[in-house]
Amino acid sequence: MNYPQMVSKQKNRDNQTTFLGYNHNLVNGINEFYDMKNLTGDYCPVLSPRKERARIDIKLTNPQGLIAKDSLGWVDDNVFFYGGKEIAKLRELNVDRQMISNGAYIVIFPDKVRYNTSTGEFEQLGAEWTQSTDVVFELCKLDKSLVEAEGRELTEKPDEPLNGDWWLDLSGENAVLKCFSEATDEWVSAATTYVRISAEGIGNKFELYDAVEINDVIEQTEIEKGSYPIWAKDDDCIVITALLKSGRYVAEFNEEKPLKIERKIPDLDYVCECNNRIWGCKWDGTINEIYSAAQGDPKNWTKYLGTSQDSYNLTVGSDGRFTGIAVQNGTVLFFKENFIHKLYGSKPSNFQTSDIMGRGIKLGCGKSAVIANETLYYLSKNGICQYGGGTPSGIYAPFGSVIYSDAVGGKCGDKYYVSMKDKTGAYSLFCFDEALQMWFKEDDTQVRFFAEDKGILYFINAKNELWVTDAENYDGEFPIAETEGHFEWFAETGDIGIQEPDCKIYRDIQIRLCMEPGSEVAVYLQYDSDGNWHQEALWKDKAKGAYTIPIVTPKVDHMKIRIEGKGNAKIYSISKRYEDCSEVRGNEY
């Protein structure tokens, strides 16, 4: 007699021994995680929490900038500090500062000042001198000596000139200064004419070869408004390139119309340093320009002496405001949201620009642009991009459909860190491990400023606290106020089992792990995306080994695993034993 036969269900076991990074998409790899908190790739392929952070014992009230050089520098409530000491009060501005390392100097914008970290000198980049009383303007030579005509007016041509006599010829449309040459018996036009401007203290504000702007004094002196290099100077005079029709003026100025001589520094949206030049850009609806200070001289932005050290500026034709600036392999990159201007060359005579229509920096995310291992990273409108010199490439696929803004970036070793805000206003701190090409999500820290020094990454958070990302290896000059201790972390898988057509019954889960004293690890399961997490295990202070969780799940189409922990632990593998069932859902038992 034939009896019905029970068909044994196929038993399966899968073993996960490699743990990859963050992938917040509907479908992800079996080794990836849909969500996570405070994980790292430092021990990949082992699943592990990141290193413990530490708060530095520095009190901040209103931080506005951070930089790491030989020591740590920051701006707090419009005061600049370096090495923990107050250096100078800055302008009363409610804006973040851009601080650039330039040799021994730290250059600070928009205050337009610089600090010499070697000598301790703090100075303004710009300078201004005004005079409301009489100022003397005289034709002179390059050595500051006057151009004079003995016994006659300079505009009067002598009948019997001697060698070296001067004459200001006004017979033509333009005045011409001439000098008599006995060798040729001719009046020779001066190739360059100079004017000495004399007034008490006029030379104290400026340096030799500074390019200074003179306001409109053409009525008093016939010298037009413009930029003039200083060719010679002493305390009470400066020499510029110009010409006076009378040879000498005593110009009268007053408080309503003073004489103003100024070494001007442009207002800039973004600044950087490249090849011993400070570069910047400006857009205000009218101005759409790129600037460079003179080489090695951030005090001069309109110095044009015909040398390789001259200043440089360029008007660009792309639409929209600038959104960021960066230097990549000796090339200065000026970003707009949909445009990149690449400027390369070694001197003004061979500077060239190459324009790329592509994913630029998202508006408001200029601080996301960071070089890590020769590659530039930044947040575009599409997501995080990396740029190596050709065209940008996106590395934002693991973020799924989440759109981020207000990004601030930092780097340390092979890692690019970025703090970003989603559309709900929630911040997340992510880390991209370049060596692994994986993303890891840390926590909800909102970072305002990053700075890296000697392999240690500093950051200032929204609570105005200064932290380092690695408490264990920190050996900086400032004491630690506190360490994090045992922080919480978790790893949540994507949907397990959706690649298979039928339902499954899971019989057990085995996890190989090790835990430090005081740590704990819990395992949760969720079935068929019902939103309910079921705790299946809780371990504390377990030695290294494999631990089995006996379970009998309902017949499920798919499930998720969430491993939560507190303190330091490492997960080496996850093994699941299950049986295949029919496609009909429901509990067989």
Side-chain angles (χ1 to χ4, degrees), residues 15 25 46 99-100 107 182 188 219 229 241 305 312 336 352 359 367 393 464 483 521 529 578 585:
N15 194 31
N25 285 284
V46 176
M99 294 190 284
I100 314 148
V107 183
E182 199 173 69
V188 179
E219 293 181 2
T241 305
L305 307 181
Y312 179 80
K336 297 187 175 184
Q352 299 181 59
R359 291 163 290 183
K367 288 192 286 187
S393 59
N464 301 333
T483 57
V521 173
S529 302
Y578 63 96
R585 298 190 190 188

Side-chain angles (χ1 to χ4, degrees), residues 50-57 466-474 479-487:
R50 60 168 172 78
K51 294 179 180 179
E52 185 180 3
R53 299 172 188 162
R55 182 172 66 85
I56 305 302
D57 191 15
L466 177 64
W467 288 77
V468 292
T469 58
D470 186 352
E472 179 182 356
N473 295 310
Y474 173 73
I480 290 177
E482 62 173 330
T483 57
E484 277 185 298
H486 285 174
F487 57 85

Side-chain angles (χ1 to χ4, degrees), residues 400-544:
S401 60
V402 183
I403 302 298
Y404 290 98
S405 63
D406 292 13
V408 176
K411 67 95 178 177
C412 187
D414 292 331
K415 298 177 180 178
Y416 169 68
Y417 290 83
V418 60
S419 169
M420 304 183 290
K421 181 177 72 174
D422 64 23
K423 64 180 181 180
T424 69
Y427 279 86
S428 297
L429 177 59
F430 293 94
C431 174
F432 179 73
D433 193 312
E434 187 179 72
L436 301 174
Q437 291 293 298
M438 298 180 197
W439 281 103
F440 295 90
K441 185 178 180 180
E442 296 203 350
D443 56 15
D444 60 356
T445 298
Q446 177 187 351
V447 177
R448 296 188 57 198
F449 306 99
F450 280 108
E452 186 267 340
D453 180 43
K454 304 178 184 68
I456 297 295
L457 184 63
Y458 297 83
F459 67 87
I460 296 176
N461 63 18
K463 298 178 181 178
N464 301 333
E465 298 169 333
L466 177 64
W467 288 77
V468 292
T469 58
D470 186 352
E472 179 182 356
N473 295 310
Y474 173 73
D475 59 353
E477 59 187 308
F478 304 105
I480 290 177
E482 62 173 330
T483 57
E484 277 185 298
H486 285 174
F487 57 85
E488 296 179 351
W489 54 269
F490 73 80
E492 179 183 321
T493 69
D495 294 328
I496 298 171
I498 60 173
Q499 297 87 356
E500 301 168 3
D502 296 324
C503 293
K504 281 77 60 180
I505 296 176
Y506 290 86
R507 295 298 186 182
D508 64 54
I509 296 176
Q510 185 183 84
I511 297 181
R512 182 176 295 277
L513 56 76
C514 70
M515 304 168 63
E516 290 188 357
S519 300
E520 61 182 50
V521 173
V523 180
Y524 295 83
L525 302 180
Q526 182 183 128
Y527 310 123
D528 290 342
S529 302
D530 64 0
N532 298 314
W533 288 102
H534 307 275
Q535 182 175 314
E536 302 293 347
L538 176 62
W539 299 308
K540 295 183 179 181
D541 301 333
K542 289 290 187 180
K544 187 175 183 179

Side-chain angles (χ1 to χ4, degrees), residues 16 20-21 23 27-34 493-495 499:
Q16 183 179 355
L20 305 182
N23 187 349
V27 178
N28 50 29
I30 190 172
N31 297 326
E32 296 175 323
F33 295 97
Y34 178 78
T493 69
D495 294 328
Q499 297 87 356

